[in-house]
Amino acid sequence: MSEKSTEGRPLKWVGTRPVRPDGVEKVTGRARYGADFARPDMLWGHVLRSPHAHARIRRIDVRRALELDGVKAIVTGDDLPEIASEQAFVGEEPTDYRMLSQNVLARGKVGYVGHAVAAVAATTSAVAEEALRLIEVDYEILPHVLDVLSATADDAPLVHDDLCDRKGVKKNPSNIANEIEMGHGDPEAAFTNADVVVDRSFTTQAVHQGYIEPHACLAEAGPDGQVTIWCSSQGQFMVRGYTAKLLGLDLAQVRVVPAEIGGGFGGKTTVYLEPLAVALSQRSGRPVKMVMSREEVFRATGPASATRIRVKIGATKEGQFLAGEAWLDYEAGAFPGSSVAAGSMTIFAPYAFEHARSHGRDILVNKPKSAAYRAPGAPMAAFAVESVVDDLARQLEIDPIDLRLQNAAREGVQSSFGPRYKRIGFVETLQAAQEHPHYDAPLQPNQGRGVAAGMWFNAGLQSSAAVMVNADGSVSVISGNPDIGGSRASLAMMAAEEFGIEYEKVGVRIGDTASVGYNDVTGGSRVTLATGKMVVEASQEVISQLCERAAKVWDVDVKRVHWADGKAKVLDDEAIEPLGLAEIATGAARTGGPIQAIASGSVRGVGMSFGVHLCDVEVDPETGKVDVIRYTAFQDAGRAIHPSYVEGQIQGGAAQGIGWALNEEYVFDDSGRLENSGFLDYRMPVASDLPMIDAVIIEVPNPDHPYGVRGVGEAPIVPPIPAVVNALRAATGVCFSDLPVSPPRVLEALDAVS
Amino acid sequence: MSKRHVTTTIDGEGREFLCEDWQTLLDVLRDVLMKTGTKEGCGTGDCGACSVLLDGRLVCSCLMLAAEAEGRVIETVEGMAEGDRLHPLQQHFLQEAALQCGICTPGFLVAARALLAQNPDPSEREVRFWLAGNLCRCTGYDKIVRAVLAAAAEMRGAEA
Amino acid sequence: MEYASPRSLDEAIGLLSQAGVDARPMAGGTDLLVQLRTGARRPELLVDLKQIPGLCGIDCGSQGFRIGAAVSGAEIGECLPLREAWPGVVEAAELIGSTQIQGRASLGGNLCNASPAADSVPALIAAGAVCTLIGPAGRREVPVDDIVRGPGETALGEAEIIVDFRLPRPQDGTGDAYQRMIPRTEMDIAIVGAGVSVRVAESGECLACRVALGAVAARPIRVDEAAAALMGRRPDSEALEELAARASAAADPIDDKRGTRAYRTRVAGVLARRAAEEALRRAGDRWAARSQSS
Ligand SMILES: Cc1cc2nc3c(=O)[nH]c(=O)nc-3n(C[C@H](O)[C@H](O)[C@H](O)COP(=O)(O)OP(=O)(O)OC[C@H]3O[C@@H](n4cnc5c(N)ncnc54)[C@H](O)[C@@H]3O)c2cc1C
Ligand code: FES
Ligand code: FES
């Protein structure tokens, strides 16, 4: 692998803000998202969902539904193959294929309100919905558990009684699906040497990713066994892999065409509808379209886990952190696989600890299966640890940024999750926050300022990209990752940079699963990083081919040819007129045919991105309402290819974190039914809730990327919760340990102290 | 029952369609007329992705029956550009990078257009409150608000 | 389900009485179409009221105002004379939903949906609004106070509809205001709402006061005890605190996904006091404007 650094090389596109290649179609309504596809003769599919949190399915009678005019196919759990237990790789959260299959369609038992029980395809959406009402399900209601405490009680009803560990060995019956432990040193002993120890417990509620586009797909199964799926997801290869696995199909029979995706944030790194749509299409012989309602999205997809976290940190009176220990319980939902491992990894990651340990537990409850949500597991952990760091700063009377600087992880430090850090930008990010005018701007009564830090990894994983030179000298790039937030632009810019051509001369397409090599999901902040790296490598390969072709034309030794400013030149002979891309491409037929290259790889060298956020809030002491009045977010982007999209990621992550802190939460009634399954009562921030969010980009290049890029998608959601809560504490003097800090909770806490 | 026949004007074009009485205007735009530029995020009036203008008034097309469109004038995002000339709002959404995933964009553009038609010089606060019925989960609204303010300034300049 | 769009009151009443319980009148549809979508209601017939002249438009006469029951929030907001006269009613109507919802949502629908949390209702009660009802049995006038019976339940007879709302021309020294508590700044259903109207003498003495609360009982309630705290005196902070305490005491809310009982009770007083302060300020401004112009 050639690792070309860009240091010293003047860059023309990287760092500028061109209009994205897919921009015009998205502002004119022409871009096609998941629900925008149709086929002649298409059927509509709908899903019957469980009204119970936990019940055995004694019998499903679909006869009356099948008799309804217009109903063409129905599938229930009996119609899908039994899948053996096997660990799947789901982008960001672990899943077992058998469990995934059961989540897509219940077998024998339902595990949460909203769990899919049957699917119907009919000639119209209305007929399919009518048919759902005619399906009779005989349930035997079982006792349910809805939170970590009751799920881990001695006499708790079991969500599953047949759980196996990773090796397929049956485990003792319990709702603790998994336990992990990591760290180094001996924190317990080290606490005894500490001058101060802060030990606090925190709770957070389940929250939804809140993408505006509901899950949607269209599937067509031909009589020859060929299957085509049009859908929006964070990975067409993921959809292909899971659908094929769940239905027992060969990967080569399934083609997934990626639609534009209307937001995912981790929530679209798994499948819900696609296997059902394919199964219905196989049975009916017609294309089947399925679109979730918003209510279904809330009840049956998503959420990020509710958690209980205890954090203990000991420090010297000079402010040096000696030891940290954390206990993290994350709700997995009705199937194993929360983000507790990542929570345990990140919780102490920003700091240098001689002794650090975290204990994580993945706990089953009768709620929808949790799914990845932007920096999965980390925001809750950061809420806990950054609140404790805030306490330490207060007790030790040290400036909170100074305290963090004193203990900040830097190159060479042993991380709490294992490896030693390479070059990272945490210190620079903290310093930028400290020097920013926001940090000591004056505040009014009832206002307070909070600061908090957070980090997230950049997954590398598998990527492929193809780069081809067209006859007119323009360049086509094919990537296999859906573009959620402007990655087409970044890829085009990197290619333009490599070739030394105009950005407009590069076209980027997202290929379907049959037209580009395998790519892992768009997630883990990896597209600009890893797929970008493949685009750079493929471009470099194409450039060396271009040099070879030019050498042929000139009949000179290829070693004398080099590429600069979009042209092949002979280094030592000024007299030879350089050849541009178009000239070489036009003559390609005579020099060896079409010019293209494919790069694929498993990108290693996981990077880290750190963020530090400053938040000012104002509290209405009579109603407990909290307004965010100023917000500045600092983040190490390594290098910002397209600064607007980096800022956009930072602003969007901050807004989601603010919502999580202030008002977002799943509210369940005692029977396990979600009470706020719509946007009116699931309170995500609206435009008038937020101030401008100033994004400050710090650039400490990532040594593992040709342009120094760090993935920036996820880290920005990690600091906001503690930044808001620390600001609220500064404004009121009250410690908050439970999310969300909604007006009733704030007012109650204020009353308790006054 | 046979279907209802509705005559209306959509994006400047006389259109006729057949619909069921219970179908919303959004259903008909997307599934009957195949005009999928208008998006559905909730179907219950909460997200604004389905925003259209009804005789110049901003409404959610998911909270209006298609039958109510009889004799009315409907404008969607698909009619904003004139040929290949983008509306200043569209132009500024691109320049300011006011979209990430873009699913909310049609609704924001239509809503912002309605705002600027009645208030050519809105404050940041006015923009934020006017657009509070349009949810965006990707951008944190910052760049959307800036794009609307920039488009307003340009449009005022063009008038003057 | 079928849709009908009658052009006259007679036609509408005829359609509604023919279809009986299976029919629903519809104004903006912002409650009704959501209920249809979620399956909460399954009417056989929707009778659109927006094409009936009597339910449209706002008249501003010398005697007072007539607001058609199907007039949208946006139109109400655009009616300057009404805003001038009853700013509390207008601000309450404008709080309903987003700009998009404003394009459709009506006062008639807000009232007849009979949610305890409906924003315009406490403001209308405080302002002393009266509505005109027409049904198979004829026409009657009923104060807004008496329409809502409980969640989803009204005093309307079968096939009876609200045609319009009447508000008087405000007397000198009148002021009204509406305040609500929501966790966000927009797009939320009130956890508590409070409407207050006052009439003060030029001296500042309070001659009349009405207080109404939303979302703290099974229906919007008028709280005369709270209003009495201001009557006959120049409302000072002590009187306003008294009003707040009595408003809280009158609140009898539930715990639900939107807020707790304790919170609602407490905040009912705070908002009643704030609404009263704003109403008094507006009343004072009216006197000031009057003395300036004379
Ligand atoms: C996103 C969103 C946000 C909302 N925010 C708010 C809010 O902030 N505050 C608030 O109070 N409400 C809110 N609502 C609820 C709703 O918008 C209001 O209640 C609105 O005023 C209803 O008016 P409408 O004309 O749309 O009623 P419709 O839906 O047409 O009717 C509502 C009910 O009243 C009946 N009805 C309508 N008109 C008459 C009449 N003239 N005579 C007899 N019966 C009649 C109907 O049969 C129906 O039962 C919101 C709704 C949505 C979707
Ligand atoms: S789809 Fe109409 S408001 Fe969400
Ligand atoms: S850009 Fe994705 S929701 Fe707005």
Side-chain angles (χ1 to χ4, degrees), chain A residues 22 156 397 448:
Chain A
D22 52 333
E397 296 179 359

Side-chain angles (χ1 to χ4, degrees), chain A residues 133 293 620-623 625 663 667 675-676 679-684 686 688-689 743-744 747 751, chain C residues 37-38 42 181-189 191 257-260 263 266-267 270-271 273-274:
Chain A
R133 287 190 279 276
S293 68
D620 180 339
E622 288 188 317
T623 63
K625 186 166 187 296
N663 284 309
V667 181
E675 291 194 274
N676 55 341
F679 283 138
L680 198 55
D681 288 311
Y682 181 82
R683 300 181 174 111
M684 312 199 311
V686 300
S688 49
D689 291 339
L747 194 63
D751 280 352
Chain C
R37 162 106 189 188
T38 59
R42 312 191 161 276
M181 173 61 213
I182 54 171
R184 290 186 284 188
T185 48
E186 272 282 342
M187 293 303 281
D188 231 324
I189 301 302
I191 303 185
K257 62 187 172 189
R258 297 192 176 122
T260 60
Y263 182 79
R266 169 84 194 278
V267 173
V270 173
L271 293 195
R273 193 200 71 225
R274 288 182 182 178

Side-chain angles (χ1 to χ4, degrees), chain A residues 178-497:
Chain A
N178 197 8
E179 286 183 78
I180 47 167
E181 202 180 306
M182 65 186 74
H184 53 259
D186 182 358
E188 210 162 313
F191 283 127
T192 57
N193 301 327
D195 297 315
V196 279
V197 175
V198 175
D199 183 347
R200 281 175 63 189
S201 294
F202 302 83
T203 63
T204 73
Q205 300 303 317
V207 296
H208 198 272
Q209 292 78 351
Y211 32 82
I212 306 301
E213 179 200 37
H215 299 257
C217 70
L218 169 62
E220 183 164 17
D224 54 359
Q226 302 281 322
V227 169
T228 308
I229 303 171
W230 295 261
C231 70
S232 67
S233 77
Q234 284 175 254
Q236 57 271 41
F237 292 93
M238 175 277 299
V239 172
R240 181 185 67 163
Y242 291 174
T243 305
K245 187 79 180 181
L246 264 47
L247 298 176
L249 304 170
D250 285 342
L251 290 174
Q253 285 178 324
V254 182
R255 184 168 71 103
V256 179
V257 183
E260 296 304 327
I261 167 173
F265 313 111
K268 291 178 185 164
T269 55
T270 186
V271 293
Y272 299 100
L273 296 176
E274 292 81 358
L276 300 177
V278 172
L280 288 169
S281 180
Q282 286 172 330
R283 272 160 189 74
S284 62
R286 289 167 64 173
V288 175
K289 176 168 173 166
M290 299 182 83
V291 182
M292 281 196 195
S293 68
R294 178 55 53 183
E295 182 179 346
E296 289 180 284
V297 172
F298 273 113
R299 290 195 195 286
T301 76
S305 303
T307 68
R308 299 183 73 89
I309 302 174
R310 177 181 159 207
V311 171
K312 187 174 176 185
I313 296 180
T316 66
K317 59 181 180 304
E318 291 77 29
Q320 196 193 333
F321 295 174
L322 293 179
E325 190 159 12
W327 295 263
L328 305 95
D329 283 350
Y330 281 37
E331 289 180 4
F335 296 98
S338 71
S339 53
V340 70
S344 308
M345 285 168 80
T346 54
I347 193 159
F348 293 127
Y351 303 107
F353 277 99
E354 219 163 296
H355 306 275
R357 187 155 312 280
S358 38
H359 315 261
R361 301 196 296 176
D362 186 40
I363 295 172
L364 295 164
V365 294
N366 292 112
K367 290 185 185 171
K369 161 74 178 77
S370 67
Y373 179 19
R374 207 170 194 161
M380 315 77 143
F383 166 45
V385 79
E386 292 292 301
S387 296
V388 168
V389 171
D390 198 58
D391 282 341
L392 285 167
R394 283 166 192 281
Q395 289 191 20
L396 297 167
E397 296 179 359
I398 298 177
D399 171 85
I401 294 189
D402 282 338
L403 182 65
R404 287 174 171 88
L405 275 169
Q406 193 181 339
N407 294 286
R410 55 197 90 204
E411 192 168 357
V413 162
Q414 161 80 59
S415 74
S416 58
F417 55 88
R420 283 189 188 280
Y421 283 109
K422 293 195 192 171
R423 185 77 176 92
I424 53 174
F426 188 30
V427 168
E428 289 82 348
T429 310
L430 282 165
Q431 284 164 342
Q434 201 167 35
E435 284 155 17
H436 194 276
H438 182 174
Y439 193 52
D440 40 40
L443 290 165
Q444 306 298 316
N446 295 323
Q447 297 180 349
R449 175 165 303 136
V451 55
M455 65 78 71
W456 186 250
F457 314 97
N458 301 157
L461 309 179
Q462 305 176 79
S463 276
S464 312
V467 172
M468 47 201 84
V469 178
N470 304 310
D472 59 357
S474 63
V475 170
S476 294
V477 173
I478 305 183
S479 138
N481 284 113
D483 178 353
I484 305 195
S487 58
R488 282 186 185 91
S490 318
L491 299 182
M493 290 165 79
M494 287 190 261
E497 203 71 75

Side-chain angles (χ1 to χ4, degrees), chain C residues 222-244:
Chain C
R222 207 173 104 188
V223 190
D224 291 342
E225 324 73 279
L230 304 192
M231 297 286 282
R233 55 203 279 202
R234 294 182 55 131
D236 51 10
S237 62
E238 194 188 328
L240 287 161
E241 283 312 326
E242 183 64 33
L243 171 141

Side-chain angles (χ1 to χ4, degrees), chain A residues 514-534:
Chain A
S515 62
V516 61
Y518 180 84
N519 278 266
D520 282 320
V521 292
T522 297
S525 306
R526 60 176 289 278
V527 176
T528 305
L529 179 84
T531 308
K533 194 167 169 173
M534 290 306 124

